[in-house]
Amino acid sequence: MNRNLQTECPVLVTGGAGYIGSHAVLALRDAGWPVAVLDNLVTGFRFAVPDDVPFYEGDVSDADLVARIVSERGTRAIMHFAGSVVVPESVADPLKYYANNTAASRALIAAAIEAGVPHFIFSSTAATYGVPEISPVSEDAPKVPINPYGWSKLMTERMLADVAAAHPMNYAALRYFNVAGADPQMRSGQSTAGATHLIKVAVEAAAGKRDSVAIFGSDYDTPDGTGVRDYIHVSDLAVAHVLALEALIADPGRSLTMNCGYGRGFSVREVLDTVDRVTGAAITRTLEPRRAGDPASLISDPSRIRATLPWRPQHHDLATIVAHALGWETKLAEMRNAEGDNG
Ligand code: UFG
């Protein structure tokens, strides 16, 4: 992609202070794209956004604010990461998810159309598939989410498809599998307290923040009885967004819906063993019952993204993903200690 095309396409990243959004900001900036961030800092962190990136604090559903940003920044593409992401919370409080994910996305898409923004990239999820009958799961598999989180994202995908058919805008919906790891340069990582994701939990245990890791279910129909997932490094995922944007610019008549995973699975035990190997110590495991709603195995069929984008993952080695997650955990502890010393 030549540089002019990039400078002619300023990008607005919503949720750019969050885990995945902040890595997208780094990937865009590293590749020379002008980028601005809109984040309400409810779950994001101001420190996750580089100081030289214009930052707007507010909600994506604030149409006046979005209109002002688009006009000030000349925004030509929106990458939309902002939203709520905790699956059990979506079951307990579905209306929060339909507000923060579906309704807020509707408002943002409306503002984008109103302002004539031609490209939109949406943070979707493998949760749109529910419990797939066939694994690896391809994009054409039935979409039957088993929780409001998955539905809230699937509804947004539907809106984008209908809007792109009616207005001069194309979009990419990227369905993430299990995102993990941290920026290799340790500029960002998963910072949310109380995280429940396996690799985050495991590195917290390795860093001494937890006593043990619970293995939720050891009687699944998988090689070692524990759940199998397709873990993708957050920086590889971020680069996929940049490449998707280039594809949208290259062919404004085409929209894309793509799985983002590597197409291979690791069990819970394999993940924990990898953490042990990386640290040279042993995490304490406890065996617990299955967690409600967990599929035995969730692996992406990555054929479409491989065929569509020149995407060459750099950090797919599980030990690398774990090492980067661990590095960030250490940095986070140092940052929190420094904060404690200063305050
Ligand atoms: N697990 C444990 N112990 C833990 C945490 C997780 O054994 O402490 C197991 C789970 O049972 C599962 C695997 O590790 O087998 C991965 O669990 P995560 O919680 O890390 O991730 P999920 O696969 O449940 O969730 C992911 C995304 C969600 C998305 C969902 C779709 O993080 O955003 O897939 O199924 F909605």
Side-chain angles (χ1 to χ4, degrees):
M1 170 111 339
N2 74 45
R3 244 195 122 75
N4 284 341
L5 221 53
Q6 294 170 1
T7 47
E8 284 165 17
C9 185
V11 184
L12 172 62
V13 178
T14 78
Y19 174 44
I20 304 174
S22 64
H23 288 82
V25 169
L26 294 173
L28 286 162
R29 192 164 147 273
D30 290 351
W33 299 77
V35 51
V37 166
L38 169 60
D39 197 299
N40 63 11
L41 297 181
V42 169
T43 53
F45 297 90
R46 184 65 184 85
F47 70 72
V49 183
D51 288 337
D52 59 358
V53 171
F55 180 82
Y56 297 84
E57 185 173 343
D59 291 321
V60 298
S61 52
D62 183 341
D64 293 341
L65 176 58
V66 173
R68 175 160 76 83
I69 300 170
V70 170
S71 135
E72 279 178 14
R73 298 290 153 200
T75 304
R76 301 278 299 160
I78 294 177
M79 284 191 188
H80 178 36
F81 296 91
S84 298
V85 299
V86 182
V87 172
E89 184 191 44
S90 80
V91 177
D93 190 0
L95 292 176
K96 174 174 176 179
Y97 281 70
Y98 292 119
N100 289 353
N101 294 352
T102 316
S105 294
R106 188 216 165 268
L108 179 66
I109 296 164
I113 295 298
E114 176 71 26
V117 175
H119 311 295
F120 198 99
I121 295 189
F122 176 57
S123 197
S124 192
T125 169
T128 53
Y129 297 115
V131 181
E133 274 170 27
I134 299 172
S135 176
V137 59
S138 79
E139 290 82 356
D140 298 327
K143 262 69 70 190
V144 194
I146 55 165
N147 48 58
Y149 170 70
W151 280 112
S152 72
K153 292 282 186 174
L154 188 59
M155 287 169 160
T156 304
E157 282 196 17
R158 185 68 244 170
M159 283 194 285
L160 285 168
D162 293 339
V163 167
H167 299 281
M169 186 192 82
N170 66 346
Y171 74 92
L174 302 182
R175 295 188 185 138
Y176 313 156
F177 283 67
N178 287 61
V179 188
D183 173 49
Q185 296 175 47
M186 296 295 129
R187 294 169 296 178
S188 190
Q190 167 66 280
S191 307
T192 324
T196 59
H197 291 167
L198 179 64
I199 290 183
K200 175 74 177 175
V201 167
V203 299
E204 284 182 358
K209 290 188 193 169
R210 297 175 184 257
D211 295 336
S212 60
V213 175
I215 296 177
F216 295 134
S218 46
D219 56 352
Y220 283 107
D221 185 16
T222 57
D224 69 14
T226 67
V228 170
R229 295 290 184 275
D230 187 347
Y231 296 93
I232 174 172
H233 193 293
V234 64
S235 298
D236 281 340
L237 178 63
V239 168
H241 288 72
V242 178
L243 297 173
L245 174 57
E246 290 180 4
L248 293 183
I249 295 170
D251 187 351
R254 182 172 71 151
S255 291
L256 303 165
T257 298
M258 293 180 296
N259 284 341
C260 291
Y262 297 135
R264 49 97 165 107
F266 290 103
S267 72
V268 174
R269 284 191 210 278
E270 285 174 320
V271 168
L272 299 180
D273 290 349
T274 304
V275 176
D276 285 352
R277 264 201 309 282
V278 170
T279 60
I283 302 171
T284 306
R285 289 111 161 119
T286 61
L287 293 184
E288 304 287 340
R290 293 182 181 193
R291 210 168 54 176
D294 270 356
S297 177
L298 192 58
I299 299 173
S300 79
D301 176 344
S303 315
R304 189 182 287 177
I305 191 169
R306 294 281 190 173
T308 310
L309 303 180
W311 186 54
R312 301 289 169 266
Q314 301 293 306
H315 312 291
H316 49 280
D317 176 45
L318 184 62
T320 304
I321 296 175
V322 164
H324 291 163
L326 202 55
W328 180 253
E329 210 50 48
T330 308
K331 176 151 181 197
L332 210 50
E334 286 164 9
M335 282 162 53
R336 298 219 160 114
N337 284 341
E339 241 171 55
D341 292 347
N342 294 333

